[in-house]
Amino acid sequence: MFKILKTTAPLNYLPGSLPFDAIEPDSLAQYCVSEPWTGDMGNGLFRLGERTAYLHGLARSECGLLNLVKCYEATDRTNVLEIFEQAATSCSSFCFSTTIMTIGGPKQPVFCIGESTGVEQKYSGKITGVFLFPNFQLPSPFPPMSRQ
């Protein structure tokens, strides 16, 4: 699933606009790990949460886009890069889902929802969003690596 929409209308749900009892963070935590992230289009760096960096196989929580997507399923990388490119050129809302691939380990499904703002001027703006990691993994297509 890969979707991007240009946005010009104000959001229907601004932070704090939903009554507290309509938001159930415990329900979400029962099914997945979620963590916010940001991207600065001025310097091209993404700032991930600690768990998100770990699940993407990154040693640091700050990275470039190519480092972020290199663990994604090969057939999805181009689509994800195109979504981020479009979001960097026009204020947009987007979402995608793919799988994080690890050698010899399980595959981790990942969902991303985000939006870009302030991109009207070249080399400006930011992208913000949330990564969702379901509390299950898929079998790896690769055989486990043997250690000698």
Side-chain angles (χ1 to χ4, degrees):
M1 171 183 70
F2 304 95
K3 295 286 182 194
I4 186 160
L5 255 121
K6 292 183 183 196
T7 58
T8 55
L11 296 174
N12 291 333
Y13 300 109
L14 297 174
S17 66
L18 292 175
F20 180 73
D21 57 353
I23 303 169
E24 299 180 33
D26 292 337
S27 295
L28 183 62
Q30 178 180 346
Y31 300 107
C32 67
V33 170
S34 64
E35 205 164 48
W37 58 270
T38 61
D40 182 338
M41 287 185 260
N43 61 19
L45 291 176
F46 287 78
R47 184 169 302 280
L48 310 174
E50 188 176 313
R51 293 177 292 182
T52 298
Y54 173 79
L55 290 168
H56 277 83
L58 300 169
R60 299 179 54 214
S61 62
E62 195 170 83
C63 66
L65 180 58
L66 293 179
N67 285 331
L68 177 68
V69 304
K70 72 181 179 184
C71 64
Y72 292 167
E73 198 162 343
T75 56
D76 292 343
R77 281 186 215 135
T78 300
N79 290 330
V80 172
L81 289 171
E82 286 175 4
I83 283 178
F84 278 108
E85 182 179 331
Q86 290 176 35
T89 59
S90 176
C91 292
S92 308
S93 294
F94 60 89
C95 64
F96 65 84
S97 64
T98 186
T99 306
I100 293 175
M101 309 298 289
T102 58
I103 301 297
K107 300 186 303 182
Q108 175 64 60
V110 59
F111 299 89
C112 179
I113 303 165
E115 67 178 359
S116 60
T117 57
V119 299
E120 295 79 18
Q121 295 180 345
K122 195 173 186 176
Y123 307 118
S124 67
K126 68 178 183 172
I127 301 178
T128 58
V130 64
F131 279 109
L132 303 165
F133 302 92
N135 287 337
F136 62 84
Q137 296 174 330
L138 306 169
S140 174
F142 306 107
M145 295 177 69
S146 62
R147 296 186 180 189
Q148 296 180 3

